[in-house]
Amino acid sequence: MAFFFACSGAPGGAERRFSYLYESLREESDCFYLITNRELVDFYGKTLLKDPEDCNIFSPEVYGKGIFGKCLFVIKVLFFLKKQKVKWVHFCINPGPYSFVFSVLSFVLGFKVSVSVVNSTRREKRDFTKKEFLFWRLTFLSSRFIDVLSPSIKFNLLNIFGKHILPSKITISPCTFSRRVAELKNNYHCVQDSREGRDVDCLFMCRLVDGKGVDLFLKALDIIESQKIRIFAHVAGDGYLYDEFASRVYEYVQLVLHGYVDGKEAEFLLRRTKFALSLQSYENYPSQFVLEAIASGCEVIATDVGDTRLLLNESNSYLVPACHGELAESLLYGLKEYKKGNFLPFDRMALLEDHSVFRFKKYFLDLLA
């Protein structure tokens, strides 16, 4: 079996989740493969993979964004699938042109396909271009199963593609964490001793694109600035909304921009952070960042949207509506309580144990059986 993801930008939580699953499966058997693009491995290999030179990772180059480069990439992957006698290909990060092409070819070449949908922002048909809708629909028709991250994503897919997919095809995966959370969890005793030395009041770490709460966070910072309160706010991530932060000039709010950070940099930042912010518009479940923040000893502030409460609640986080005023108020209140030494009293280890890769591995192997 082969896991497939290829992307032009930095990897996110979904890529880390499947790379960790792949590595866990490879520890037991050499019949699992990972197919990705060379550019991703070259730039982010150490962040994404324990061993980027693993012989079961196939990563040919995608030569630019043109059709010729993509066709050459497909041909190389097809030869690899045939050479390794791969019988099943799973597409890890939403349908697209690659999943569409391989789904069509699967009928000719005799391998099975399945797909994961990790995007919670596609909620209506108008959220797709005509081409995207075609790619998704035909991928679903060919897929043996459709793995989704949350009940709300399943609901959205049935609402949009109900005529084209059987509800029984859609399965909801358990929330699992990446290798980075496992490593943080193993060093958990260090986390408890490090709360007093944290110099980052709040950390906003995500792709800086629509739906991630960029505008919500900026308006909350504007309120805090207007109250002349000094806080240290850090932003880690890249995306087309990066300039929204870069253009802000504050007197009291100390805003530090890091751009994209790799695993070690992210771990270092989390260990310095008091409050981790997950402010997505539709969904904070399942969030690799939230789990990493909890494993690092951070307090969490999250928007109370979608299926967020499958992971977070009032006992382990500060849940707020998508309102900048309430976000600012909650952050300032939380920082006051933090200064007093009042932390949310929940069992972090129990929560992390409940979201292990072993649950995800069992779930996935059962689907392949």
Side-chain angles (χ1 to χ4, degrees):
M1 183 196 173
F3 296 101
F4 182 104
F5 56 77
C7 51
S8 56
E15 291 90 340
R16 296 201 305 275
R17 176 173 171 259
F18 274 101
S19 65
Y20 188 39
L21 173 62
Y22 161 75
E23 289 173 344
S24 182
L25 289 167
R26 277 278 283 142
E27 290 174 359
E28 300 177 9
S29 171
D30 63 356
C31 65
F32 292 95
Y33 299 88
L34 178 63
I35 299 171
T36 184
N37 50 307
R38 173 49 48 185
E39 293 85 345
L40 194 67
V41 172
D42 284 346
F43 284 102
Y44 306 105
K46 291 183 180 179
T47 297
L48 193 63
L49 300 158
K50 190 182 297 183
D51 179 14
E53 301 305 319
D54 178 354
C55 62
N56 276 31
I57 298 174
F58 183 64
S59 54
E61 289 188 48
V62 177
Y63 294 97
K65 298 181 179 180
I67 189 67
F68 174 77
K70 289 181 171 58
C71 288
L72 187 58
F73 178 76
V74 168
I75 291 169
K76 288 181 177 181
V77 171
L78 287 173
F79 273 107
F80 177 79
L81 295 177
K82 182 175 177 60
K83 179 182 177 182
Q84 303 299 336
K85 299 180 180 179
V86 172
K87 301 297 182 184
W88 197 306
V89 180
H90 182 77
F91 296 91
C92 303
I93 48 171
N94 296 326
Y98 288 132
S99 69
F100 162 69
V101 170
F102 284 104
S103 294
V104 172
L105 293 174
S106 68
F107 292 105
V108 179
L109 300 178
F111 57 85
K112 301 173 184 177
V113 298
S114 52
V115 65
S116 286
V117 177
V118 300
N119 190 327
S120 60
T121 63
R122 304 290 184 102
R123 306 170 71 84
E124 300 178 33
K125 188 174 180 179
R126 66 183 180 182
D127 294 328
F128 296 83
T129 65
K130 289 183 178 179
K131 187 185 294 185
E132 287 173 337
F133 186 83
L134 178 66
F135 289 158
W136 284 55
R137 181 169 67 86
L138 292 179
T139 299
F140 291 154
L141 287 172
S142 306
S143 295
R144 298 302 176 101
F145 65 84
I146 303 163
D147 161 61
V148 300
L149 294 184
S150 67
S152 62
I153 295 178
K154 178 176 181 178
F155 176 83
N156 293 339
L157 290 185
L158 289 175
N159 183 46
I160 299 166
F161 298 97
K163 297 178 181 178
H164 308 291
I165 51 177
L166 295 172
S168 58
K169 265 191 179 184
I170 305 177
T171 63
I172 302 171
S173 65
C175 178
T176 57
F177 56 62
S178 68
R179 178 180 0 101
R180 200 155 80 204
V181 179
E183 292 168 351
L184 289 167
K185 185 167 70 69
N186 290 337
N187 296 320
Y188 185 74
H189 63 281
C190 300
V191 167
Q192 298 302 310
D193 301 329
S194 66
R195 279 181 164 160
E196 290 187 4
R198 296 179 181 238
D199 62 324
V200 177
D201 289 324
C202 61
L203 173 63
F204 185 67
M205 183 187 293
C206 61
R207 283 195 175 113
L208 302 180
V209 297
D210 286 329
K212 297 293 187 177
V214 170
D215 188 56
L216 178 65
F217 183 43
L218 284 170
K219 287 182 177 179
L221 290 181
D222 290 342
I223 290 175
I224 294 170
E225 173 73 12
S226 70
Q227 295 177 10
K228 299 183 178 180
I229 297 174
R230 294 193 180 278
I231 69 165
F232 294 89
H234 287 231
V235 176
D238 202 0
Y240 55 81
L241 293 180
Y242 180 88
D243 288 344
E244 294 293 315
F245 288 101
S247 63
R248 281 295 206 279
V249 178
Y250 294 114
E251 181 180 354
Y252 294 93
V253 173
Q254 302 297 307
L255 185 61
V256 180
L257 306 182
H258 295 273
Y260 178 79
V261 294
D262 64 18
K264 290 298 180 184
E265 291 175 298
E267 180 180 338
F268 177 67
L269 264 178
L270 285 165
R271 290 282 178 83
R272 295 171 54 196
T273 295
K274 298 172 185 174
F275 281 85
L277 309 181
S278 184
L279 307 176
Q280 300 202 47
S281 301
Y282 303 114
E283 192 64 80
N284 294 302
Y285 173 87
S287 169
Q288 296 285 330
F289 171 65
V290 166
L291 287 167
E292 289 166 4
I294 289 171
S296 301
C298 306
E299 303 288 272
V300 172
I301 296 178
T303 42
D304 190 4
V305 294
D307 296 315
T308 297
R309 285 177 178 267
L310 293 177
L311 176 62
L312 300 174
N313 54 55
E314 285 81 2
S315 71
N316 58 29
S317 62
Y318 293 82
L319 294 177
V320 297
C323 167
H324 51 275
E326 296 207 31
L327 172 59
E329 182 180 343
S330 184
L331 177 57
L332 293 176
Y333 171 79
L335 287 171
K336 286 180 182 178
E337 291 298 299
Y338 197 99
K339 189 174 182 179
K340 296 175 185 176
N342 297 330
F343 310 117
L344 292 173
F346 69 100
D347 189 339
R348 292 171 183 262
M349 285 296 289
L351 187 148
L352 295 173
E353 291 290 351
D354 195 41
H355 297 286
S356 70
V357 71
F358 304 108
R359 291 180 64 205
F360 189 32
K361 183 162 63 173
K362 182 182 183 306
Y363 155 85
F364 210 87
L365 292 175
D366 286 346
L367 290 175
L368 298 178

